[in-house]
Amino acid sequence: MKVIRLLGVAVLTLALSVYFLVRNIGSGLGALSVENGNWITNVSTGSSDAGIMLKATIAMGGLLASTRENSMYYRLDSLDEEPLRLNCRYRIEGMDYDADWWSITAYGWDNFLMPNQQKRYSFNNENIVRRADGSWVIYVAAEEQTVNWLPVGPSGAPSWRKRSGHDFDLLLRLYTPGKAYLEAPQSAPLPTVTLEGCS
């Protein structure tokens, strides 16, 4: 009887430890972040100053962050505190950024690329269609759009595993970013994201 009681306590302790670890890892990026409008970044990502929780968050999320001098990552999962939803259409507008290469990618709530028939998961400074003045627009929606359409849809993981409030998020990568991103990430120029409507 004593062995069963000890085993029960051990299992409960392990379960609680895993629960609190996953909860803390899930909020790891948010707790150590810098905001630039609705975009969020972490200046410790990819640096030797990163703490254990940030490293665990990156390992669990699969960001594969390189050193800060080589790359900056900005994440957006909500607009004015409203989570990004699959039944809505978003417009991302911008110009080229002070970086050797940049991209905008949509990820499902499970941190994986979302399956779609077009097999299109991102746009970057090399494949985006620009307007005459060099600016560009990306449309993020489940329904097909005319130009620079970034399709979003259900994540590949089963819905019962969903723990986040948003359906997907956007990740802006800047490789070999300029001085403004390294020294003032909270005010450096970033794309503007607008909600156009929901069904």
Side-chain angles (χ1 to χ4, degrees):
M1 198 63 152
K2 189 176 181 181
V3 172
I4 292 174
R5 205 173 316 142
L6 286 174
L7 185 60
V9 169
V11 168
L12 180 61
T13 302
L14 180 62
L16 285 172
S17 298
V18 168
Y19 168 76
F20 286 113
L21 178 63
V22 168
R23 190 178 74 171
N24 287 336
I25 287 173
S27 62
L29 287 176
L32 303 165
S33 62
V34 172
E35 293 182 12
N36 183 334
N38 290 298
W39 295 94
I40 298 172
T41 188
N42 189 302
V43 293
S44 297
T45 301
S47 79
S48 57
D49 299 332
I52 187 114
M53 291 311 295
L54 178 60
K55 288 177 181 176
T57 301
I58 290 167
M60 293 288 285
L63 295 176
L64 302 175
S66 61
T67 63
R68 183 168 173 254
E69 293 72 26
N70 291 331
S71 59
M72 287 285 293
Y73 306 89
Y74 284 90
R75 180 176 172 260
L76 185 143
D77 65 10
S78 62
L79 283 179
D80 303 322
E81 300 183 9
E82 285 297 317
L84 298 182
R85 300 285 184 207
L86 296 178
N87 64 323
C88 298
R89 176 177 128 144
Y90 302 90
R91 184 178 71 250
I92 309 172
E93 296 178 271
M95 298 283 287
D96 275 329
Y97 298 100
D98 185 13
D100 285 350
W101 192 85
W102 60 263
S103 70
I104 295 177
T105 308
Y107 287 95
W109 56 263
D110 56 0
N111 294 327
F112 287 94
L113 298 172
M114 290 177 283
N116 65 79
Q117 289 184 343
Q118 291 70 28
K119 298 189 183 207
R120 186 180 306 126
Y121 309 103
S122 69
F123 283 98
N124 60 61
N125 58 297
E126 295 177 355
N127 69 4
I128 198 159
V129 176
R130 291 177 170 80
R131 295 184 258 201
D133 65 355
S135 66
W136 48 261
V137 176
I138 297 171
Y139 293 99
V140 182
E143 301 84 25
E144 186 171 356
Q145 306 297 309
T146 55
V147 66
N148 293 336
W149 173 39
L150 189 53
V152 292
S155 295
S159 58
W160 59 265
R161 285 182 43 203
K162 185 176 182 182
R163 291 188 305 272
S164 62
H166 61 280
D167 290 336
F168 68 96
D169 60 20
L170 299 169
L171 187 69
L172 169 67
R173 289 182 175 87
L174 299 157
Y175 288 107
T176 318
K179 195 173 180 182
Y181 297 100
L182 297 173
E183 296 182 358
Q186 72 281 359
S187 58
L190 296 177
T192 302
V193 183
T194 306
L195 171 64
E196 292 205 320
C198 301
S199 56

